[in-house]
Amino acid sequence: MQTLTVSTRARVAMIDITSAVAEAIRQEKIADGLAVVFVPHTTAGVTINENADPTVVRDILTEMNKMVPFEDGYHHSEGNSAAHIKSSVFGPSLTLIVSGGRPVLGTWQAVYFCEFDGPRHRKVHVAVR
Amino acid sequence: MQTLTVSTRARVAMIDITSAVAEAIRQEKIADGLAVVFVPHTTAGVTINENADPTVVRDILTEMNKMVPFEDGYHHSEGNSAAHIKSSVFGPSLTLIVSGGRPVLGTWQAVYFCEFDGPRHRKVHVAVR
Amino acid sequence: MQTLTVSTRARVAMIDITSAVAEAIRQEKIADGLAVVFVPHTTAGVTINENADPTVVRDILTEMNKMVPFEDGYHHSEGNSAAHIKSSVFGPSLTLIVSGGRPVLGTWQAVYFCEFDGPRHRKVHVAVR
């Protein structure tokens, strides 16, 4: 298992970690398997989306903030309930097909670490089996 | 790895691909493993839901259109930001347990390809490890 | 494959099944692999979130009920369309990394069975490969 580190600089952000994930998969030295990208945090997540036009990420984050407002009469006293909810909506893990030692991704797909309660230092585990 | 093709006929749709996924799993010839169903697109997704009453799919698509409106002041110029957001909410991949060469599914469960920016010709990868 | 049973007591609930999932993984006797936690129902789901402060779960369930209202002009006659939609938003399966026979989880992470149409008796499958 490989562990990546990600430092986020804003309250919400999507960080393209495709290259780091691909390198972690390469280091696992398994040609054909499944890779799990796993975020060990409860106020972050992982997703796949477009890597070409940065306005896509901007629209995703803005709309998620509308769907799950930062303040909405929450009871959790740490003030980050919205982040916990977004984490469950996007999910903490992603399973990729590994072929020839590389993750199979579509032309426009990138793997994004999703920060919902930053800025923070975060970890992402990658395992291939 | 097997690759299915799906042609969608509407802007949003959920297409039952359970039989094709089961056949792809059978062709992988692994009795007990894990199957990943992976959509290599950023404006589509994959999910599991009920296959008995077609109004369930209708309600899911209608409600998703309310949660993530087609137009909402998005910045991405292609006009399909809602599709990108829905893709991340539903997710691009699904992991199934394979037992005796077949996917383990509940009585009412079907695997659906989710089109959020159609009509288009789409691909779905299926790998068993 | 192991199958857990969960009895839920409310219409919506998140039940911490971390210990039962860890025990099921232990019984599979595979030191290093991937574990799939799979819910064979279409009105329930599985997620990971915080296990320390119970108000987090309360906030998640309350906000999900706002995002996907119980009544919203749905066509499905069984009256549980909201549960079907939440099931697809959270997802029916979760893939965990297994290392040393145990699931790799962050400090604050717990695995939750998510009931969206209870109370009911439910099943959760766990397989390690």
Side-chain angles (χ1 to χ4, degrees), chain B residues 14 31-34 47-51 53 55-56 58-60 62-64 66-67 89-90 94-99 104-110 129, chain C residues 1 34-42 67-69 72-78 80-81 84-85 87-93 95 125-129:
Chain B
M14 287 169 61
D32 297 293
L34 301 179
T47 196
I48 285 178
N49 224 297
E50 186 183 306
N51 61 355
D53 179 353
T55 61
V56 170
R58 181 178 167 188
D59 286 342
I60 293 171
T62 302
E63 193 67 18
M64 288 299 294
K66 288 189 190 178
M67 283 170 59
V89 170
F90 272 33
L94 204 58
T95 309
L96 306 174
I97 300 168
V98 175
S99 181
V104 176
L105 291 171
T107 310
W108 306 106
Q109 287 186 315
R129 311 293 203 218
Chain C
M1 187 176 91
L34 302 179
V36 170
V37 182
F38 186 86
V39 170
H41 307 288
T42 59
M67 283 170 59
V68 185
D72 201 18
Y74 302 119
H75 290 84
H76 183 48
S77 60
E78 290 180 26
N80 60 358
S81 283
H84 286 290
I85 297 160
S87 176
S88 279
V89 170
F90 273 33
S93 80
T95 310
H125 301 314
V126 180
V128 184
R129 311 292 202 220

Side-chain angles (χ1 to χ4, degrees), chain C residues 48-117:
Chain C
I48 285 177
N49 222 297
E50 187 184 305
N51 60 355
D53 180 352
T55 60
V56 170
V57 162
R58 181 178 167 186
D59 286 343
I60 293 171
L61 292 173
T62 302
E63 193 67 19
M64 287 299 293
N65 292 346
K66 287 188 190 178
M67 283 170 59
V68 185
F70 287 118
E71 304 296 334
D72 201 18
Y74 302 119
H75 290 84
H76 183 48
S77 60
E78 290 180 26
N80 60 358
S81 283
H84 286 290
I85 297 160
K86 290 169 182 170
S87 176
S88 279
V89 170
F90 273 33
S93 80
L94 205 57
T95 310
L96 306 174
I97 299 167
V98 175
S99 181
R102 296 181 185 191
V104 176
L105 291 170
T107 311
W108 308 106
Q109 287 185 316
V111 179
Y112 284 98
F113 174 82
C114 303
E115 174 63 79
F116 297 128
D117 191 38

Side-chain angles (χ1 to χ4, degrees), chain B:
Chain B
M1 187 176 90
Q2 311 289 319
T3 300
L4 317 176
T5 55
V6 182
S7 292
T8 61
R9 292 176 189 150
R11 186 168 188 182
V12 297
M14 287 169 61
I15 317 286
D16 187 340
I17 57 170
T18 313
S19 302
V21 167
E23 174 60 20
I25 288 172
R26 199 184 64 76
Q27 288 180 18
E28 290 277 278
K29 297 186 196 306
I30 294 178
D32 297 293
L34 301 179
V36 171
V37 182
F38 186 86
V39 171
H41 307 287
T42 59
T43 54
V46 62
T47 196
I48 285 178
N49 224 297
E50 186 183 306
N51 61 355
D53 179 353
T55 61
V56 170
V57 162
R58 181 178 167 188
D59 286 342
I60 293 171
L61 292 172
T62 302
E63 193 67 18
M64 288 299 294
N65 291 347
K66 288 189 190 178
M67 283 170 59
V68 185
F70 287 118
E71 304 297 333
D72 201 17
Y74 302 120
H75 289 85
H76 182 48
S77 61
E78 290 180 28
N80 59 358
S81 283
H84 286 289
I85 297 160
K86 290 169 182 169
S87 175
S88 280
V89 170
F90 272 33
S93 80
L94 204 58
T95 309
L96 306 174
I97 300 168
V98 175
S99 181
R102 296 182 185 190
V104 176
L105 291 171
T107 310
W108 306 106
Q109 287 186 315
V111 179
Y112 284 98
F113 174 82
C114 303
E115 175 62 80
F116 296 128
D117 190 38
R120 295 206 199 198
H121 298 290
R122 302 291 206 170
K123 288 181 182 173
V124 180
H125 301 313
V126 180
V128 184
R129 311 293 203 218

